[in-house]
Amino acid sequence: MLKIILDSIINLFFPSVCASCGTLLLKGEKTVCTTCRYLLPKTRYELNPDNPLMLNFLGQIPFNAVTAEFFFSKSGHVQALIHGLKYHGAKENGIFLGQEIGKSIKQSPVFQGIDYIIPVPLHPKKQKIRGYNQSMVIAQGIGEETGIPIVGNCLIRKVFTSTQTKKSREERWQNVKDIFAVVNASQLEGKHVLLVDDVLTTGATLMAAGKALYDVKDIKVSVATAACASG
């Protein structure tokens, strides 16, 4: 009873707002309002094995399947969720995004039989600055929805890199191509893993992570991100 009273007082003076559009959340709504949950632009790529994201990696990295949950556009509602997660400590945004991914991949034949979730790691220096890894938070949301365990100690980022923003596709690849390494490889042998990141743009980071993971014997790697560029 005391908790209910305290929550009511907190909500009175600090009302919760939708992380996507900024409107007040109604009773029963959490993180994202019902309207935005309906209007957020889902890709449905998990239902199309030959979707544009999968084709983007064709002939480069033999991913089993690739999807992104939402389309990302500048100044759009999905961008608000991602930026809140990455730059403003809004971990609840990442949990929401991960749960939405989880709901989608549970319905997809190509994403069945996943043994582990592997978030794309940050370099320890960058993680210390941010305080957490946004991809890990998204992975936690997926794990909550699917029950798939997260493995965060097998893929490491061994090199601190500059931001990918404003780099060309080739510059992004050169910036990240050898920055990942696998440790405890035996834990991943013969497993189907889900590689998770926040946004898929050129795919350079995921290619580099996939390149490292495919050094593991008999591994199968699928990819899921919270968002990708629209169009």
Side-chain angles (χ1 to χ4, degrees):
M1 178 62 73
L2 179 60
K3 184 179 184 304
I4 295 174
I5 295 173
L6 288 174
D7 286 346
S8 297
I9 294 172
I10 291 171
N11 287 332
L12 178 63
F13 292 99
F14 303 99
S16 298
V17 298
C18 173
S20 179
C21 70
T23 60
L24 288 175
L25 291 175
L26 303 177
K27 185 177 180 180
E29 294 180 334
K30 183 178 179 182
T31 308
V32 176
C33 70
T34 302
T35 300
C36 283
R37 285 174 184 261
Y38 179 76
L39 294 177
L40 287 174
K42 286 183 176 285
T43 68
R44 305 294 182 189
Y45 282 163
E46 75 281 357
L47 301 177
N48 177 12
D50 297 318
N51 65 65
L53 300 183
M54 184 67 177
L55 297 177
N56 184 57
F57 296 104
L58 198 64
Q60 301 181 80
I61 301 292
F63 289 130
N64 171 72
V66 181
T67 191
E69 185 64 16
F70 299 109
F71 287 117
F72 178 102
S73 59
K74 190 174 181 180
S75 301
H77 290 337
V78 176
Q79 184 189 53
L81 290 170
I82 298 288
H83 280 206
L85 169 63
K86 292 181 70 172
Y87 306 119
H88 302 295
K91 293 184 182 179
E92 65 275 11
N93 294 11
I95 297 297
F96 165 77
L97 292 166
Q99 289 172 337
E100 292 301 297
I101 293 170
K103 291 173 186 175
S104 294
I105 64 174
K106 283 196 298 186
Q107 309 303 318
S108 169
V110 291
F111 283 92
Q112 299 307 301
I114 295 170
D115 298 292
Y116 298 126
I117 301 168
I118 299 181
V120 171
L122 290 178
H123 188 273
K125 181 179 177 182
K126 184 170 286 187
Q127 184 160 329
K128 185 176 181 180
I129 293 170
R130 182 166 293 164
Y132 57 91
N133 176 4
Q134 73 274 6
S135 296
M136 173 62 82
V137 180
I138 294 170
Q140 289 168 347
I142 298 173
E144 287 181 11
E145 185 65 35
T146 64
I148 301 169
I150 298 169
V151 173
N153 63 344
C154 285
L155 183 66
I156 63 170
R157 188 182 293 238
K158 58 184 181 177
V159 179
F160 183 83
T161 55
S162 58
T163 178
Q164 296 282 71
T165 305
K166 297 183 179 179
K167 283 184 168 61
S168 68
R169 184 185 183 93
E170 179 59 26
E171 287 171 337
R172 287 178 181 235
W173 173 243
Q174 292 300 324
N175 194 43
V176 300
K177 64 178 182 177
D178 296 314
I179 67 172
F180 296 105
V182 172
V183 295
N184 305 317
S186 61
Q187 185 176 352
L188 303 179
E189 288 183 3
K191 302 298 184 182
H192 182 186
V193 303
L194 181 68
L195 184 63
V196 172
D197 206 0
D198 53 1
V199 180
L200 196 164
T201 49
T202 65
T205 299
L206 290 164
M207 283 175 58
K211 178 172 173 280
L213 285 169
Y214 272 109
D215 284 338
V216 177
K217 183 180 179 182
D218 296 329
I219 196 171
K220 182 161 69 171
V221 183
S222 293
V223 172
T225 68
C228 67
S230 57

